[in-house]
């Protein structure tokens, strides 16, 4: 598997992506090509022995080889151009450009094969409101919610406290707060609106059972184990969640009834197919009264959820060898004559 | 106004875009730079005196200067590179890459100022289902509808005939059919599924009054006149609609009550602001029992609806001088140390 990891990017999760890239590189047998996208949209090839957080924090990465997109790959800048071609790009930019459709648009435009959500899938998973609507349309339950725009009257319309307030388009618990009262709600809105002009407010269920499952579909599904994620003292502790991105050791399978496991797997398949083809995603579910609820779709999961798979490398290989075709539209020139004639030109 | 028109693109409306570009170029006092995107994602600079449909149909355009994206503009291919910079790009690619978010993603990545829908706005207007949901969320009525995926049981769930069947993500009446019976419905589905894996089915209202309005918002709104579009013998006649794209002569204002005109203008403003900032859009409305319904949002309207404006050129200039800032995310490296310490690295 000839893999290039693209990471960094303009995103509030830029740092998380660096940690993720280091982790994924570490668990793969063959060292990938590392392509760093900085916050100024410049690309750099990073030698694997230099892959450490210091390089990026210090700005030292700017001394590495600058790359530009070209058809089927990248070229180095300068007089003698080196071409980097013949690999599959793993999109490991969390949030921002990685999940808002920018990276898929660039990679498809330049005809570079890639692992990651396609444009449609990005739209659905990046916007938590659309995720709700999508889930509903395929018969998957989600927790009750309402949304608020930044200029709207700041009150609850149908939910009651406690609620959880989230920026509409961010992952990794950034800007997320639980509110138990009006005062806390106003504060939670202040925080969330720092990151997004729209927020989603959900009923908060204390102590709810949470389960994660990752997987891919090619001609068959390959699903990971079901994990009950460890929670810190505070369910929303950013540092605890953040550590997830550097996880590289296998976790223990959740201790749940087989019936619930099957329900979770079945929900995952419904969500994945066909819109998430080409990507490895992790879905986070709640189980409430023996029913499965979708909490979130992570279309570029932290460290690709490598720790959930029995054989992560072969799962990634299977995916890279079975990427969906980009549906090219064949252009015809049937009507131009008609029009020009009709216009007398 | 230093304008570059990008047109063509991978889209079922590729040809329409060529006609549109010729038309917009014709109505502007200063000749724009013409940048053609062919169906293979290659860019060409087309001299204005060669802008005719023959050039594209024959493939002769391939003899023109090849361009590549670079930061802030384009460069010519070859040994001595010419840089094309310092202009605003007008996105005139109808459908496909022009409206599915690809062109905004590319132009934003390369920091090229542009007139056209941003990524969010593209998502909402390109997918007719999302348009409905969006309209509902801002209190704008639309006609009753249902949707079908390609594998679903092919029957109506709540609507009754006649209905109109449309591919989910196409404009210009391509693949659109009215169905008065089960047989016609099956045929309409066959046609629509040729273009998209999802279709939207709406109640068809024969003889409904239709009105179009275009506009922009900077620090103020500039709205066009309200037009009652001419219909061919068949409301869905592709050729009639197609001719719209080459329109360059002013049309007559619709003969309607001032109250209805104000309702239409008010609906337009609600739809436009703030998500369509940076673009000139045309909204097509129905009026039923003195109530305004949104039919469609054209985020890259045929020939930029130039024929609807009293002063098209100054409207475009006003927009090009007041484009929204791209909200760059400032990247911080606060957490990396914490993580690395926690991991003992």
């Amino acid at each position: 598997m000839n893999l290039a990891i693209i990471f960094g990017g303009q995103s509030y999760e830029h740092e998380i992506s660096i940690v993720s890239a280091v982790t994924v590189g570490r668990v793969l047998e063959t060292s990938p090509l590392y392509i760093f996208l900085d916050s100024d949209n410049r690309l750099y090839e990073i030698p694997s022995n230099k892959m450490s957080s210091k390089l990026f924090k210090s700005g030292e990465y700017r001394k590495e080889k600058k790359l530009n997109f070209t058809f089927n790959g990248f070229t180095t800048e300068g007089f003698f151009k080196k071409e980097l071609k013949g690999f599959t790009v793993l999109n490991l930019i969390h949030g921002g450009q990685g999940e808002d459709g920018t990276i898929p648009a660039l990679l498809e435009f330049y005809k570079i094969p890639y692992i990651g959500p396609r444009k449609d899938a990005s739209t659905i998973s990046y916007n938590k409101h659309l995720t709700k609507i999508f889930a509903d349309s395929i018969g998957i339950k989600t927790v009750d919610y309402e949304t608020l725009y930044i200029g709207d009257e700041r009150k609850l319309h149908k939910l009651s406290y406690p609620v959880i307030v989230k920026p509409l388009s961010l992952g990794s618990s950034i800007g997320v707060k639980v509110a138990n009262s009006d005062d806390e709600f106003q504060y939670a809105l202040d925080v969330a609106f720092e990151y997004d002009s729209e927020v989603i407010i959900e009923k908060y269920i204390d102590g709810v059972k949470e389960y994660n499952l990752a997987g891919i579909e090619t001609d068959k599904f390959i699903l990971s184990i079901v994990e009950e994620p460890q929670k810190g003292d505070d369910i929303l502790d950013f540092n605890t969640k953040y550590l997830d991105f550097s996880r590289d050791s296998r976790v223990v399978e959740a201790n749940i009834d087989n019936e619930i496991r099957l329900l979770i797997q079945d929900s995952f398949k419904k969500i994945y197919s066909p819109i998430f083809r080409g990507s490895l995603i992790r879905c986070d579910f709640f189980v409430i009264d023996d029913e499965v609820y979708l909490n979130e779709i992570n279309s570029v999961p932290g460290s690709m959820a490598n720790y959930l798979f029995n054989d992560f490398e072969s799962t990634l290989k299977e995916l890279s060898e079975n990427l969906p075709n980009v549906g090219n539209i064949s252009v015809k020139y049937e009507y131009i004559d008609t029009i020009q004639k009709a216009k007398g030109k």
Side-chain angles (χ1 to χ4, degrees), chain A:
Chain A
M1 181 171 45
N2 211 347
L3 205 70
I5 295 181
I6 189 166
F7 64 104
Q10 259 185 48
S11 164
Y12 290 109
E13 292 154 82
H14 177 94
E15 285 181 89
I16 294 177
S17 173
I18 294 171
V19 176
S20 235
V22 171
T23 307
V24 171
R26 194 165 51 211
V27 299
L28 293 176
E29 268 183 37
T30 322
S31 184
L33 183 71
Y34 294 98
I35 299 177
F36 177 61
L37 177 62
D38 81 357
S39 61
D40 202 31
N41 294 350
R42 302 288 169 161
L43 296 159
Y44 297 86
E45 182 188 352
I46 310 293
S48 51
N49 60 357
K50 294 192 182 168
M51 279 293 290
S52 83
S53 50
K54 256 178 292 177
L55 185 82
F56 305 104
K57 198 187 162 189
S58 64
E60 292 267 309
Y61 69 84
R62 292 195 192 89
K63 296 180 186 158
E64 302 303 325
K65 271 197 217 93
K66 246 186 186 173
L67 300 179
N68 285 309
F69 277 104
T70 188
F71 286 94
N72 308 122
F74 302 85
T75 55
T76 55
E77 272 197 3
F79 197 74
F80 293 104
K81 291 195 191 318
K82 191 179 70 167
E83 294 205 323
L84 304 175
K85 294 187 177 178
F87 46 74
T88 298
V89 166
L90 173 64
N91 173 12
L92 204 54
I93 296 176
H94 304 301
Q97 291 171 321
E99 299 191 45
D100 72 358
T102 301
I103 294 294
L106 284 161
L107 293 170
E108 281 170 28
F109 185 83
Y110 288 109
K111 304 173 188 240
I112 303 170
Y114 69 101
I115 293 173
R118 272 52 199 162
K119 288 197 299 291
D120 284 9
S122 302
T123 301
I124 284 171
S125 52
Y126 191 53
N127 179 313
K128 293 186 169 71
H129 192 178
L130 293 183
T131 304
K132 295 270 189 187
I133 292 161
F134 168 69
D136 186 52
S137 78
I138 55 169
I140 305 275
K141 284 192 164 63
T142 67
V143 173
D144 285 344
Y145 73 101
E146 47 195 87
T147 62
L148 270 186
Y149 277 96
I150 197 160
D152 291 348
E153 197 187 348
R154 293 168 63 148
K155 61 168 199 173
L156 292 176
H157 286 85
K158 53 176 191 186
L159 297 179
S160 58
Y161 298 115
V163 296
I164 183 163
V165 180
K166 304 173 177 177
L168 200 74
S169 304
L170 275 172
S172 315
S173 310
I174 298 176
V176 174
K177 288 242 165 287
V178 173
N180 292 292
S181 64
D182 282 344
D183 279 357
E184 287 180 15
F185 180 57
Q186 295 305 321
Y187 176 64
L189 289 177
D190 284 342
V191 172
F193 281 132
E194 284 288 307
Y195 295 99
D196 209 320
S197 55
E198 192 175 353
V199 302
I200 190 160
I201 304 150
E202 298 176 291
K203 184 68 195 161
Y204 179 68
I205 304 155
D206 195 24
V208 66
K209 285 283 181 188
E210 197 178 334
Y211 299 100
N212 298 347
L213 174 63
I216 66 164
E217 186 192 18
T218 53
D219 56 340
K220 59 182 181 288
F221 276 102
I222 301 181
L223 300 186
S224 76
I225 61 161
V226 174
E227 184 206 11
E228 186 176 352
Q230 295 296 311
K231 291 172 183 172
D233 288 343
D234 179 352
I235 188 182
L236 297 169
D237 181 339
F238 183 71
N239 287 331
T240 309
K241 272 233 172 188
Y242 204 102
L243 280 170
D244 266 11
F245 290 84
S246 58
R247 282 168 71 183
D248 56 7
S249 52
R250 280 292 311 288
V251 297
V252 180
E253 179 131 35
N255 183 19
I256 44 172
D257 287 350
N258 205 38
E259 211 170 308
I260 295 289
R261 188 185 321 278
L262 288 174
L263 279 178
I264 289 173
Q265 290 175 341
D266 186 51
S267 301
F268 181 95
K269 289 177 184 172
K270 273 195 200 155
I271 291 162
Y272 188 102
S273 192
I275 201 158
F276 285 96
R277 285 214 164 213
S279 62
L280 184 162
I281 67 173
R282 196 191 78 217
C283 291
D284 300 350
F285 297 101
F286 294 145
V287 173
I288 305 166
D289 297 335
D290 288 347
E291 286 200 298
V292 173
Y293 289 70
L294 174 65
N295 177 27
E296 246 177 57
I297 304 171
N298 298 282
S299 64
V300 182
S303 71
M304 295 307 281
N306 70 85
Y307 50 86
L308 293 179
F309 288 92
N310 288 319
D311 187 345
F312 175 67
E313 186 141 11
S314 74
T315 304
L316 216 55
K317 189 160 182 286
E318 167 74 16
L319 186 55
S320 75
E321 287 167 359
N322 293 281
L323 294 170
N325 292 322
V326 175
N328 277 346
I329 292 167
S330 70
V331 163
K332 294 180 199 123
Y333 291 96
E334 299 170 3
Y335 293 101
I336 273 198
D337 284 337
T338 326
I339 305 307
Q340 297 306 313
K341 270 177 211 146
K343 294 281 291 182
K345 313 235 159 197

